[in-house]
Amino acid sequence: MNVHHTIANNQLAEIPGTILFPFFLAINITEALRASIGWVEPGLGPLFTLRESYYPGDIRFDPFGFRPKDAKGYENMQNKELNNGRLAMIAAAGMCVQEQINGKGILENLGF
């Protein structure tokens, strides 16, 4: 099987602009929405002020109803998500470093 797997560190440059532009546009729109939920508009109060009703991380998006109803349960869920996210970032960084060191893609290192 003669398949060339692209190294993850080089993949962003290989994505066509017709796909990349809508992707970054969607990121920009969601970040603007998140900022408007959590932050006071610059003309309505001091700069960099959170809204009184805003709890950091709570953007009122819970389509499946997984959010705990009590504050302690919500804080516990947030801590679990942060810890799992940190572990995932360390794992992804480790894979990128491995690719840079040996010049092989992740799947090639696994024998695929």
Side-chain angles (χ1 to χ4, degrees):
M1 185 166 152
N2 189 11
V3 178
H4 172 70
H5 297 287
T6 303
I7 292 178
N9 295 316
N10 300 333
Q11 286 181 348
L12 192 60
E14 294 181 6
I15 299 173
T18 54
I19 294 173
L20 211 52
F21 177 74
F23 177 70
F24 285 122
L25 183 64
I27 291 173
N28 201 338
I29 290 169
T30 56
E31 284 297 314
L33 178 63
R34 182 194 57 80
S36 69
I37 290 172
W39 297 88
V40 174
E41 287 81 2
L44 301 177
L47 290 178
F48 309 115
T49 304
L50 290 175
R51 296 183 189 275
E52 290 291 326
S53 62
Y54 177 69
Y55 183 79
D58 184 14
I59 57 171
R60 301 184 299 263
F61 180 75
D62 187 23
F64 298 113
F66 291 143
R67 183 183 191 272
K69 304 299 181 218
D70 61 326
K72 185 69 175 165
Y74 185 68
E75 181 182 354
N76 187 27
M77 182 192 70
Q78 272 191 320
N79 287 333
K80 289 178 184 177
E81 287 183 2
L82 284 172
N83 289 333
N84 288 330
R86 290 173 182 149
L87 182 61
M89 286 189 285
I90 291 170
M95 287 187 270
C96 290
V97 168
Q98 179 183 8
E99 287 184 346
Q100 289 296 320
I101 289 174
N102 68 7
K104 294 181 182 178
I106 295 300
L107 295 177
E108 290 175 292
N109 285 316
L110 295 173
F112 291 100

mmCIF file of all heavy atoms in Angstrom, residues 44-72:
data_model
loop_
_atom_site.group_PDB
_atom_site.id
_atom_site.type_symbol
_atom_site.label_atom_id
_atom_site.label_comp_id
_atom_site.label_asym_id
_atom_site.label_seq_id
_atom_site.Cartn_x
_atom_site.Cartn_y
_atom_site.Cartn_z
ATOM 1 N N LEU A 44 -21.040 51.110 27.139
ATOM 2 C CA LEU A 44 -22.028 51.013 28.219
ATOM 3 C C LEU A 44 -21.419 50.825 29.607
ATOM 4 O O LEU A 44 -22.146 50.653 30.571
ATOM 5 C CB LEU A 44 -22.996 49.859 27.932
ATOM 6 C CG LEU A 44 -23.773 49.961 26.622
ATOM 7 C CD1 LEU A 44 -24.639 48.737 26.432
ATOM 8 C CD2 LEU A 44 -24.619 51.221 26.614
ATOM 9 N N GLY A 45 -20.138 50.840 29.708
ATOM 10 C CA GLY A 45 -19.488 50.662 31.003
ATOM 11 C C GLY A 45 -17.989 50.634 30.834
ATOM 12 O O GLY A 45 -17.468 50.841 29.732
ATOM 13 N N PRO A 46 -17.283 50.371 31.938
ATOM 14 C CA PRO A 46 -15.821 50.310 31.840
ATOM 15 C C PRO A 46 -15.382 49.196 30.889
ATOM 16 O O PRO A 46 -16.062 48.188 30.741
ATOM 17 C CB PRO A 46 -15.374 50.003 33.271
ATOM 18 C CG PRO A 46 -16.558 50.246 34.133
ATOM 19 C CD PRO A 46 -17.770 50.134 33.279
ATOM 20 N N LEU A 47 -14.231 49.375 30.264
ATOM 21 C CA LEU A 47 -13.706 48.358 29.359
ATOM 22 C C LEU A 47 -13.368 47.077 30.110
ATOM 23 O O LEU A 47 -13.002 47.110 31.292
ATOM 24 C CB LEU A 47 -12.450 48.876 28.655
ATOM 25 C CG LEU A 47 -12.656 49.976 27.632
ATOM 26 C CD1 LEU A 47 -11.326 50.430 27.061
ATOM 27 C CD2 LEU A 47 -13.576 49.525 26.516
ATOM 28 N N PHE A 48 -13.483 45.958 29.429
ATOM 29 C CA PHE A 48 -13.132 44.633 29.950
ATOM 30 C C PHE A 48 -13.928 44.271 31.199
ATOM 31 O O PHE A 48 -13.391 43.752 32.169
ATOM 32 C CB PHE A 48 -11.626 44.542 30.232
ATOM 33 C CG PHE A 48 -10.791 44.978 29.072
ATOM 34 C CD1 PHE A 48 -9.983 46.097 29.162
ATOM 35 C CD2 PHE A 48 -10.820 44.282 27.873
ATOM 36 C CE1 PHE A 48 -9.220 46.510 28.091
ATOM 37 C CE2 PHE A 48 -10.055 44.689 26.800
ATOM 38 C CZ PHE A 48 -9.252 45.805 26.907
ATOM 39 N N THR A 49 -15.229 44.548 31.181
ATOM 40 C CA THR A 49 -16.104 44.239 32.306
ATOM 41 C C THR A 49 -17.067 43.120 31.908
ATOM 42 O O THR A 49 -17.708 43.186 30.868
ATOM 43 C CB THR A 49 -16.923 45.481 32.712
ATOM 44 O OG1 THR A 49 -16.020 46.541 32.991
ATOM 45 C CG2 THR A 49 -17.777 45.204 33.933
ATOM 46 N N LEU A 50 -17.155 42.111 32.760
ATOM 47 C CA LEU A 50 -18.109 41.028 32.522
ATOM 48 C C LEU A 50 -19.505 41.469 32.932
ATOM 49 O O LEU A 50 -19.673 42.287 33.833
ATOM 50 C CB LEU A 50 -17.723 39.787 33.329
ATOM 51 C CG LEU A 50 -16.469 39.040 32.880
ATOM 52 C CD1 LEU A 50 -16.154 37.909 33.847
ATOM 53 C CD2 LEU A 50 -16.617 38.502 31.479
ATOM 54 N N ARG A 51 -20.500 40.906 32.290
ATOM 55 C CA ARG A 51 -21.886 41.189 32.664
ATOM 56 C C ARG A 51 -22.178 40.600 34.046
ATOM 57 O O ARG A 51 -21.602 39.586 34.435
ATOM 58 C CB ARG A 51 -22.844 40.596 31.642
ATOM 59 C CG ARG A 51 -22.718 41.200 30.275
ATOM 60 C CD ARG A 51 -23.756 40.600 29.333
ATOM 61 N NE ARG A 51 -23.521 41.022 27.963
ATOM 62 C CZ ARG A 51 -23.964 42.154 27.457
ATOM 63 N NH1 ARG A 51 -24.671 42.981 28.188
ATOM 64 N NH2 ARG A 51 -23.707 42.478 26.203
ATOM 65 N N GLU A 52 -23.078 41.220 34.771
ATOM 66 C CA GLU A 52 -23.451 40.746 36.109
ATOM 67 C C GLU A 52 -24.044 39.337 36.062
ATOM 68 O O GLU A 52 -23.812 38.525 36.943
ATOM 69 C CB GLU A 52 -24.448 41.710 36.755
ATOM 70 C CG GLU A 52 -23.858 43.043 37.132
ATOM 71 C CD GLU A 52 -22.883 42.939 38.282
ATOM 72 O OE1 GLU A 52 -23.083 42.103 39.180
ATOM 73 O OE2 GLU A 52 -21.900 43.702 38.277
ATOM 74 N N SER A 53 -24.833 39.048 35.029
ATOM 75 C CA SER A 53 -25.515 37.758 34.945
ATOM 76 C C SER A 53 -24.658 36.664 34.317
ATOM 77 O O SER A 53 -25.105 35.532 34.193
ATOM 78 C CB SER A 53 -26.799 37.910 34.123
ATOM 79 O OG SER A 53 -26.480 38.315 32.801
ATOM 80 N N TYR A 54 -23.428 36.977 33.946
ATOM 81 C CA TYR A 54 -22.577 36.019 33.242
ATOM 82 C C TYR A 54 -21.696 35.254 34.213
ATOM 83 O O TYR A 54 -21.027 35.828 35.055
ATOM 84 C CB TYR A 54 -21.711 36.751 32.216
ATOM 85 C CG TYR A 54 -20.742 35.864 31.473
ATOM 86 C CD1 TYR A 54 -21.198 34.928 30.563
ATOM 87 C CD2 TYR A 54 -19.382 35.981 31.674
ATOM 88 C CE1 TYR A 54 -20.317 34.119 29.875
ATOM 89 C CE2 TYR A 54 -18.484 35.182 30.989
ATOM 90 C CZ TYR A 54 -18.960 34.251 30.093
ATOM 91 O OH TYR A 54 -18.082 33.446 29.419
ATOM 92 N N TYR A 55 -21.697 33.928 34.070
ATOM 93 C CA TYR A 55 -20.760 33.075 34.797
ATOM 94 C C TYR A 55 -19.748 32.580 33.769
ATOM 95 O O TYR A 55 -20.140 32.043 32.736
ATOM 96 C CB TYR A 55 -21.499 31.893 35.436
ATOM 97 C CG TYR A 55 -20.600 31.004 36.256
ATOM 98 C CD1 TYR A 55 -20.215 31.379 37.537
ATOM 99 C CD2 TYR A 55 -20.120 29.810 35.751
ATOM 100 C CE1 TYR A 55 -19.383 30.581 38.289
ATOM 101 C CE2 TYR A 55 -19.294 29.004 36.494
ATOM 102 C CZ TYR A 55 -18.917 29.395 37.765
ATOM 103 O OH TYR A 55 -18.073 28.601 38.506
ATOM 104 N N PRO A 56 -18.447 32.776 34.000
ATOM 105 C CA PRO A 56 -17.436 32.424 33.000
ATOM 106 C C PRO A 56 -17.607 30.994 32.477
ATOM 107 O O PRO A 56 -17.689 30.037 33.237
ATOM 108 C CB PRO A 56 -16.116 32.583 33.748
ATOM 109 C CG PRO A 56 -16.408 33.635 34.762
ATOM 110 C CD PRO A 56 -17.837 33.384 35.180
ATOM 111 N N GLY A 57 -17.676 30.889 31.173
ATOM 112 C CA GLY A 57 -17.838 29.597 30.524
ATOM 113 C C GLY A 57 -19.270 29.233 30.200
ATOM 114 O O GLY A 57 -19.531 28.318 29.422
ATOM 115 N N ASP A 58 -20.229 29.946 30.770
ATOM 116 C CA ASP A 58 -21.640 29.627 30.548
ATOM 117 C C ASP A 58 -22.188 30.522 29.442
ATOM 118 O O ASP A 58 -22.518 31.680 29.671
ATOM 119 C CB ASP A 58 -22.440 29.821 31.831
ATOM 120 C CG ASP A 58 -23.898 29.416 31.687
ATOM 121 O OD1 ASP A 58 -24.222 28.744 30.686
ATOM 122 O OD2 ASP A 58 -24.694 29.758 32.558
ATOM 123 N N ILE A 59 -22.284 29.976 28.227
ATOM 124 C CA ILE A 59 -22.808 30.760 27.109
ATOM 125 C C ILE A 59 -24.226 30.320 26.746
ATOM 126 O O ILE A 59 -24.689 30.565 25.635
ATOM 127 C CB ILE A 59 -21.877 30.686 25.883
ATOM 128 C CG1 ILE A 59 -21.644 29.243 25.440
ATOM 129 C CG2 ILE A 59 -20.563 31.378 26.170
ATOM 130 C CD1 ILE A 59 -20.925 29.117 24.125
ATOM 131 N N ARG A 60 -24.877 29.659 27.654
ATOM 132 C CA ARG A 60 -26.280 29.239 27.520
ATOM 133 C C ARG A 60 -26.507 28.327 26.315
ATOM 134 O O ARG A 60 -27.538 28.360 25.681
ATOM 135 C CB ARG A 60 -27.197 30.463 27.433
ATOM 136 C CG ARG A 60 -27.102 31.366 28.637
ATOM 137 C CD ARG A 60 -28.080 32.507 28.590
ATOM 138 N NE ARG A 60 -27.909 33.386 27.457
ATOM 139 C CZ ARG A 60 -27.236 34.524 27.472
ATOM 140 N NH1 ARG A 60 -26.678 34.920 28.567
ATOM 141 N NH2 ARG A 60 -27.159 35.271 26.410
ATOM 142 N N PHE A 61 -25.523 27.496 25.998
ATOM 143 C CA PHE A 61 -25.673 26.540 24.900
ATOM 144 C C PHE A 61 -25.642 25.141 25.497
ATOM 145 O O PHE A 61 -24.600 24.643 25.908
ATOM 146 C CB PHE A 61 -24.541 26.710 23.884
ATOM 147 C CG PHE A 61 -24.643 25.739 22.735
ATOM 148 C CD1 PHE A 61 -25.580 25.916 21.748
ATOM 149 C CD2 PHE A 61 -23.796 24.656 22.656
ATOM 150 C CE1 PHE A 61 -25.685 25.030 20.694
ATOM 151 C CE2 PHE A 61 -23.889 23.756 21.612
ATOM 152 C CZ PHE A 61 -24.835 23.952 20.622
ATOM 153 N N ASP A 62 -26.802 24.514 25.569
ATOM 154 C CA ASP A 62 -26.917 23.173 26.128
ATOM 155 C C ASP A 62 -28.085 22.450 25.449
ATOM 156 O O ASP A 62 -29.134 22.240 26.049
ATOM 157 C CB ASP A 62 -27.136 23.258 27.645
ATOM 158 C CG ASP A 62 -27.098 21.901 28.313
ATOM 159 O OD1 ASP A 62 -26.507 20.977 27.742
ATOM 160 O OD2 ASP A 62 -27.672 21.785 29.409
ATOM 161 N N PRO A 63 -27.912 22.076 24.162
ATOM 162 C CA PRO A 63 -29.044 21.506 23.422
ATOM 163 C C PRO A 63 -29.508 20.146 23.948
ATOM 164 O O PRO A 63 -30.662 19.785 23.746
ATOM 165 C CB PRO A 63 -28.514 21.400 21.997
ATOM 166 C CG PRO A 63 -27.041 21.344 22.134
ATOM 167 C CD PRO A 63 -26.714 22.160 23.344
ATOM 168 N N PHE A 64 -28.644 19.403 24.616
ATOM 169 C CA PHE A 64 -29.020 18.068 25.089
ATOM 170 C C PHE A 64 -29.358 18.030 26.577
ATOM 171 O O PHE A 64 -29.666 16.981 27.115
ATOM 172 C CB PHE A 64 -27.908 17.065 24.784
ATOM 173 C CG PHE A 64 -27.637 16.918 23.318
ATOM 174 C CD1 PHE A 64 -26.436 17.351 22.783
ATOM 175 C CD2 PHE A 64 -28.587 16.379 22.468
ATOM 176 C CE1 PHE A 64 -26.180 17.233 21.428
ATOM 177 C CE2 PHE A 64 -28.346 16.255 21.111
ATOM 178 C CZ PHE A 64 -27.136 16.683 20.592
ATOM 179 N N GLY A 65 -29.261 19.159 27.257
ATOM 180 C CA GLY A 65 -29.631 19.224 28.665
ATOM 181 C C GLY A 65 -28.643 18.559 29.605
ATOM 182 O O GLY A 65 -29.023 18.058 30.652
ATOM 183 N N PHE A 66 -27.347 18.561 29.249
ATOM 184 C CA PHE A 66 -26.329 17.934 30.103
ATOM 185 C C PHE A 66 -25.878 18.830 31.250
ATOM 186 O O PHE A 66 -25.273 18.369 32.195
ATOM 187 C CB PHE A 66 -25.099 17.552 29.277
ATOM 188 C CG PHE A 66 -25.333 16.435 28.312
ATOM 189 C CD1 PHE A 66 -24.731 16.445 27.072
ATOM 190 C CD2 PHE A 66 -26.147 15.370 28.633
ATOM 191 C CE1 PHE A 66 -24.937 15.415 26.173
ATOM 192 C CE2 PHE A 66 -26.366 14.339 27.752
ATOM 193 C CZ PHE A 66 -25.755 14.357 26.516
ATOM 194 N N ARG A 67 -26.164 20.114 31.175
ATOM 195 C CA ARG A 67 -25.685 21.064 32.188
ATOM 196 C C ARG A 67 -26.364 20.783 33.517
ATOM 197 O O ARG A 67 -27.583 20.748 33.607
ATOM 198 C CB ARG A 67 -25.998 22.487 31.750
ATOM 199 C CG ARG A 67 -25.473 23.527 32.698
ATOM 200 C CD ARG A 67 -25.907 24.914 32.201
ATOM 201 N NE ARG A 67 -25.248 25.964 32.902
ATOM 202 C CZ ARG A 67 -25.702 26.503 34.030
ATOM 203 N NH1 ARG A 67 -26.814 26.071 34.569
ATOM 204 N NH2 ARG A 67 -25.047 27.479 34.618
ATOM 205 N N PRO A 68 -25.558 20.602 34.581
ATOM 206 C CA PRO A 68 -26.158 20.417 35.911
ATOM 207 C C PRO A 68 -26.931 21.661 36.340
ATOM 208 O O PRO A 68 -26.588 22.782 35.980
ATOM 209 C CB PRO A 68 -24.946 20.206 36.821
ATOM 210 C CG PRO A 68 -23.844 19.783 35.924
ATOM 211 C CD PRO A 68 -24.105 20.449 34.617
ATOM 212 N N LYS A 69 -27.960 21.463 37.123
ATOM 213 C CA LYS A 69 -28.819 22.574 37.541
ATOM 214 C C LYS A 69 -28.234 23.368 38.706
ATOM 215 O O LYS A 69 -28.469 24.554 38.829
ATOM 216 C CB LYS A 69 -30.210 22.054 37.935
ATOM 217 C CG LYS A 69 -30.892 21.247 36.841
ATOM 218 C CD LYS A 69 -31.124 22.065 35.593
ATOM 219 C CE LYS A 69 -31.830 21.243 34.532
ATOM 220 N NZ LYS A 69 -31.360 21.511 33.197
ATOM 221 N N ASP A 70 -27.470 22.715 39.573
ATOM 222 C CA ASP A 70 -26.914 23.417 40.732
ATOM 223 C C ASP A 70 -25.513 23.950 40.426
ATOM 224 O O ASP A 70 -24.826 23.468 39.536
ATOM 225 C CB ASP A 70 -26.872 22.494 41.952
ATOM 226 C CG ASP A 70 -25.995 21.273 41.738
ATOM 227 O OD1 ASP A 70 -25.947 20.777 40.589
ATOM 228 O OD2 ASP A 70 -25.361 20.829 42.697
ATOM 229 N N ALA A 71 -25.103 24.975 41.168
ATOM 230 C CA ALA A 71 -23.823 25.647 40.916
ATOM 231 C C ALA A 71 -22.639 24.729 41.191
ATOM 232 O O ALA A 71 -21.651 24.745 40.459
ATOM 233 C CB ALA A 71 -23.721 26.905 41.779
ATOM 234 N N LYS A 72 -22.722 23.906 42.233
ATOM 235 C CA LYS A 72 -21.612 23.007 42.573
ATOM 236 C C LYS A 72 -21.416 21.958 41.473
ATOM 237 O O LYS A 72 -20.288 21.647 41.080
ATOM 238 C CB LYS A 72 -21.894 22.330 43.917
ATOM 239 C CG LYS A 72 -20.771 21.485 44.412
ATOM 240 C CD LYS A 72 -19.580 22.321 44.808
ATOM 241 C CE LYS A 72 -18.519 21.428 45.426
ATOM 242 N NZ LYS A 72 -17.250 22.103 45.499
#
